[in-house]
């Protein structure tokens, strides 16, 4: 199974690309077994015009609390990685969103997911849309959330 790397908005104006390294992190954290816990982390990418190129993703650290149906991120470890990427890349790679896994083949955002995304989007200092990804067992759910909380679901590029 391979996740799709290229995604676009319905009007094809915004492209989002996931590097192999990011897809590997997603693949390693799917929840195929009933014992697999929910996972998640930060998405780090380059902003090129309105487009996003995702180059890295953080994944659960020992400090994160994990269970099958919840994932509570303890921010410290992830934030350190994000800051290091930002300074190592001289500011070209930045925090652009977050991902987490669902124990579903075709993941559906929960009400809690939506309210959390809205909050995270409204907190972005650069006012750019927040990239939200849910990793399912079969496919990804990829969505851009504006600072007002409106979500735009992306589709795989043909
Ligand atoms: Zn969720």
């Amino acid at each position: 199974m391979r996740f799709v790397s290229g995604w676009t908005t319905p009007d094809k104006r915004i492209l989002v690309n996931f590097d192999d390294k990011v897809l590997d992190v997603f693949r390693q954290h799917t929840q195929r077994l009933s014992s697999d816990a929910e996972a998640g982390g930060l998405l780090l990418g380059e902003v090129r015009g309105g487009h996003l190129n995702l180059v890295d993703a953080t994944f659960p650290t020992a400090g994160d609390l994990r269970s099958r149906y919840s994932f509570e991120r303890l921010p410290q470890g992830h934030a350190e990685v994000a800051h290091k990427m930002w300074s190592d890349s001289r500011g070209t790679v930045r925090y652009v969103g977050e991902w987490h896994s669902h124990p579903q083949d075709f993941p559906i955002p929960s009400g809690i997911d939506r309210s959390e995304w809205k909050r995270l989007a409204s907190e972005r200092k650069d006012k750019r849309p927040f990239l939200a990804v849910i990793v399912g067992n079969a496919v990804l759910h990829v969505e851009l959330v504006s600072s007002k909380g409106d979500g735009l679901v992306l589709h795989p590029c043909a």
Side-chain angles (χ1 to χ4, degrees):
M1 196 273 300
R2 252 191 92 71
F3 290 126
V4 175
S5 61
W7 294 74
T8 184
T9 47
D11 63 8
K12 308 245 193 293
R13 281 170 180 261
I14 300 175
L15 298 172
V16 173
N17 179 69
F18 296 97
D19 280 358
D20 282 344
K21 187 176 179 182
V22 179
L23 296 178
D24 282 341
V25 170
F26 293 163
R27 213 161 19 230
Q28 285 158 10
H29 292 92
T30 54
Q31 295 178 265
R32 287 204 183 74
L33 306 175
S34 59
S35 56
D36 290 339
E38 216 175 284
L42 309 184
L43 294 170
L44 305 168
E46 302 159 336
V47 179
R48 294 177 181 162
H51 309 303
L52 287 175
N53 184 40
L54 280 297
V55 298
D56 212 346
T58 69
F59 45 86
T61 62
D64 293 319
L65 304 173
R66 298 175 69 186
S67 76
R68 183 148 177 84
Y69 296 105
S70 72
F71 172 74
E72 198 174 331
R73 192 165 54 73
L74 298 187
Q76 208 164 10
H78 296 272
E80 278 165 19
V81 173
H83 185 78
K84 187 172 186 317
M85 285 290 285
W86 186 81
S87 62
D88 287 356
S89 71
R90 297 173 190 267
T92 60
V93 175
R94 63 176 105 167
Y95 165 80
V96 296
E98 302 204 5
W99 70 275
H100 69 279
S101 63
H102 272 193
Q104 300 168 320
D105 285 347
F106 299 88
I108 299 165
S110 68
I112 293 171
D113 289 335
R114 295 224 171 269
S115 59
E116 181 75 357
W117 293 345
K118 186 177 178 179
R119 183 180 67 76
L120 291 166
S122 69
E123 286 173 357
R124 285 204 65 155
K125 292 189 186 77
D126 62 9
K127 300 292 174 208
R128 286 179 181 277
F130 172 86
L131 183 68
V133 173
I134 304 178
V135 176
N137 289 333
V139 297
L140 304 176
H141 175 91
V142 181
E143 189 166 333
L144 280 169
V145 183
S146 78
S147 55
K148 290 179 193 137
D150 306 319
L152 194 56
V153 176
L154 276 67
H155 301 283
C157 294

